[in-house]
Amino acid sequence: MYVLRRIVLAGLVVLLATANGWTLAYPRNNGIKWEEVQREALELFIQYLKLDTTNPPGNEIRAARFFAEICQREGIEHKVFEPFPGRGTLWARLKGDGSQRPLILLNHTDVVPHSKEYWSVEAFSGAQKDGFIYGRGAQDMKSVGMAQFVTMLTLKRARIPLKRDIIFLATADEEAGGQLGAGWFVKTHPELLGNAEFLFNEGGNNITDQYGHVLAVGVGPAEKTPAWLRLTATGEPGHASVPRPDSAVNRLLRALNRLLEYTPPIKLTPAVEQAFRSLAPLMPAARSGKFQNLREALKDPEFARQFDLDPMARALVRNTISITMLQGSTKINVIPPVAVAEVDTRLVPGEKLERWIAELRGVLGDDSIKIEPVLAFEANDSPIDSDLVKTVAKVTKQRYPEAIITHPVLAGFTDSHFFRDLGVMSYGFSPFVAPPRELGGGFHGNDERIGQKAYVEGVRFFYEIVEQLAR
Ligand SMILES: [Zn+2]
């Protein structure tokens, strides 16, 4: 019986392969050979890491074509876009039966520059060393992108019946704000998103103890968003030998001084409160109660003082201000007509840009200084009781029974806001779960790498989640 079944299955595999020209195929609904899938996931990942998609200049078309070629071979519907030279974005779709709205698997294909002299391997060689896979993008985010892609591939080959479309979207330019990638795509091709319900993107944060026990799996429903502002002061120009107290530079400096002195008040929006609440079970008893109800806890001046000493905690509970760029005269003896400062401010989820600018105008105390947004997005968040979050929790429970689900708020930002603006519930999630020494590191830094075991296990974890959510 056993042997017979094996032969029948093998026959089916061959039939599927010949009929569709697939390189690999599985009998309907089962028979996924995980060892093979994971081996292929590793090979594809290494090939992907070899593509230099450093932004600037980007050249993400290399990644778009790489994915397109595989889609072509596998019979997966797809389109390549190159709206700006070299800046490619790939869209691919597996059709569901339409009874539920689509799920988007979003990933960016660009990577940040690297400093060759600090790397022990070539950054685009896909080197394997001591159980790690090295390469710029190994963490951010070619590993996640490939886990998403292999998930789509496996669903297709296993012919899993889907209730919802699975849309794989590999975009350019995220590391520079995403306007030439995801931002361009949502503006020009919203129809290809099919009124999607959910989206997985980078972000999230998983926590293990030093022995490798998984304590928490993070599903990030929110992130802080940038409100990058340009402040422009103007004044009478002249020769510097005759000082002008109200020159553009002097007025700008006085206003910036007031800005430096200013600490934005704590703004506990619901997304931020629940982020801390979800972490409470992992805290020592004394802190746990405080995190359960941060709003109450922060009324205690001693707790508030200590809380504020942690730069990350501090940044998560308020809008932040970093003065980063200054420009006055180009000549030492010339009082310029214009002085400019660019200020990186960040908004907590739920904040409104206009309200924040009005607050800053009051702080600057000089109405003649012009405030213009350079890059700014509304700070939206997604619910934590959605089917997507419940599905992650369910699959996590099977895999890591001890782990809790947390809902971290990212201090940085990703492309998710473009989709949240359209009403797509979007979440930061990493399927790679391992203690730091096995997970790798080098996010935007040197010797970026990911543990091979963490990677291949993550591919399967991610597949299980998506299958549950879409089947
Ligand atoms: Zn990233």
Side-chain angles (χ1 to χ4, degrees):
M1 188 64 187
Y2 175 68
V3 175
L4 188 68
R5 225 172 73 206
R6 281 287 289 271
I7 291 168
V8 171
L9 286 181
L12 250 174
V13 171
V14 171
L15 259 178
L16 289 174
T18 13
N20 297 291
W22 298 339
T23 49
L24 245 177
Y26 306 104
R28 196 174 180 87
N29 296 347
N30 59 29
I32 296 173
K33 296 184 181 112
W34 276 106
E35 256 176 45
E36 282 174 23
V37 172
Q38 287 168 319
R39 196 180 320 122
E40 189 183 9
L42 190 61
E43 278 165 23
L44 289 175
F45 180 41
I46 289 168
Q47 287 174 30
Y48 186 26
L49 283 175
K50 288 180 180 174
L51 307 177
D52 181 351
T53 49
T54 304
N55 181 13
N59 289 317
E60 299 93 333
I61 190 67
R62 293 171 178 160
R65 290 199 184 119
F66 168 74
F67 285 126
E69 198 179 299
I70 305 169
C71 288
Q72 183 70 34
R73 198 166 72 216
E74 302 282 335
I76 295 173
E77 182 189 10
H78 66 282
K79 288 178 200 286
V80 172
F81 299 92
E82 192 180 358
F84 313 95
R87 315 307 298 270
T89 283
L90 173 116
W91 169 94
R93 176 169 61 190
L94 292 184
K95 284 298 265 180
D97 68 15
S99 59
Q100 291 182 348
R101 289 158 58 202
L103 165 67
I104 300 171
L105 310 179
L106 175 70
N107 63 98
H108 66 83
T109 60
D110 60 325
V111 296
V112 293
H114 73 286
S115 310
K116 209 176 164 56
E117 61 272 31
Y118 299 114
W119 280 60
S120 67
V121 297
E122 210 282 291
F124 297 102
S125 64
Q128 284 174 277
K129 205 172 70 169
D130 307 325
F132 291 93
I133 308 142
Y134 285 69
R136 177 52 95 218
Q139 291 279 342
D140 185 13
M141 66 172 290
K142 286 181 170 173
S143 48
V144 182
M146 188 49 78
Q148 295 180 349
F149 188 73
V150 170
T151 290
M152 175 175 72
L153 211 58
T154 307
L155 286 169
K156 162 84 173 158
R157 288 172 176 171
R159 302 200 300 152
I160 303 295
L162 301 170
K163 291 203 177 89
R164 51 176 103 236
D165 294 0
I166 304 289
I167 295 169
F168 175 82
L169 192 55
T171 61
D173 196 40
E174 191 274 344
E175 296 292 359
Q179 298 292 352
L180 308 182
W184 172 84
F185 193 87
V186 297
K187 252 186 251 139
T188 48
H189 290 288
E191 79 286 356
L192 292 179
L193 301 176
N195 188 27
E197 185 171 19
F198 297 122
L199 177 145
F200 275 114
N201 188 17
E202 64 183 330
N205 181 30
N206 307 320
I207 306 170
T208 64
D209 67 13
Q210 54 172 322
Y211 309 105
H213 301 127
V214 183
L215 304 177
V217 167
V219 190
E223 49 198 44
K224 291 190 75 182
T225 50
W228 294 351
L229 305 175
R230 181 179 296 129
L231 312 184
T232 308
T234 47
E236 274 296 309
H239 198 283
S241 61
V242 184
R244 291 176 184 276
D246 63 344
S247 74
V249 170
N250 290 347
R251 294 238 307 277
L252 182 66
L253 285 180
R254 281 187 210 108
L256 290 180
N257 251 327
R258 291 189 280 269
L259 195 59
L260 268 183
E261 295 299 313
Y262 182 61
T263 305
I266 286 180
K267 236 186 142 71
L268 270 185
T269 59
V272 173
E273 268 189 294
Q274 60 72 21
F276 282 94
R277 192 176 304 125
S278 71
L279 275 174
L282 299 181
M283 293 288 136
R287 265 180 111 72
S288 181
K290 304 278 190 193
F291 274 37
Q292 275 295 346
N293 191 345
L294 194 60
R295 189 175 293 271
E296 264 316 296
L298 285 170
K299 289 179 184 162
D300 169 3
E302 182 47 29
F303 175 78
R305 195 188 61 79
Q306 286 201 8
F307 183 87
D308 237 24
L309 293 177
D310 178 343
M312 181 58 88
R314 201 180 145 76
L316 282 178
V317 298
R318 48 166 64 83
N319 299 333
T320 55
I321 303 169
S322 293
I323 302 169
T324 49
M325 297 170 82
L326 289 171
Q327 190 195 330
S329 182
T330 52
K331 212 160 178 304
I332 192 166
N333 61 353
V334 173
I335 295 174
V338 176
V340 178
E342 293 199 359
V343 186
D344 179 332
T345 77
R346 306 274 174 139
L347 309 180
V348 290
E351 175 64 288
K352 292 280 173 241
L353 180 64
E354 269 177 40
R355 202 214 60 76
W356 171 237
I357 289 180
E359 181 178 330
L360 289 184
R361 204 178 290 288
V363 174
L364 293 172
D366 183 341
D367 287 344
S368 72
I369 291 177
K370 200 162 91 186
I371 308 178
E372 298 161 281
V374 180
L375 180 81
F377 307 120
E378 285 295 332
N380 296 332
D381 55 274
S382 301
I384 57 162
D385 57 354
S386 66
D387 282 349
L388 180 144
V389 178
K390 286 178 191 154
T391 304
V392 174
K394 195 170 146 199
V395 178
T396 299
K397 194 99 208 141
Q398 293 157 4
R399 225 167 216 275
Y400 309 112
E402 308 289 306
I404 61 165
I405 300 292
T406 59
H407 305 292
V409 171
L410 206 61
F413 70 98
T414 69
D415 280 338
S416 288
H417 65 90
F418 292 121
F419 299 84
R420 289 198 179 108
D421 283 351
L422 297 180
V424 184
M425 290 181 260
S426 305
Y427 300 89
F429 175 72
S430 166
F432 310 118
V433 185
R437 66 175 181 280
E438 289 170 29
L439 191 58
F443 222 93
H444 286 211
N446 304 324
D447 272 350
E448 186 173 348
R449 64 197 179 278
I450 187 168
Q452 183 168 319
K453 185 161 165 275
Y455 168 72
V456 296
E457 282 178 2
V459 169
R460 184 165 182 177
F461 184 30
F462 193 68
Y463 172 87
E464 288 169 0
I465 292 167
V466 171
E467 196 205 282
Q468 285 250 1
L469 191 58
R471 193 170 179 143

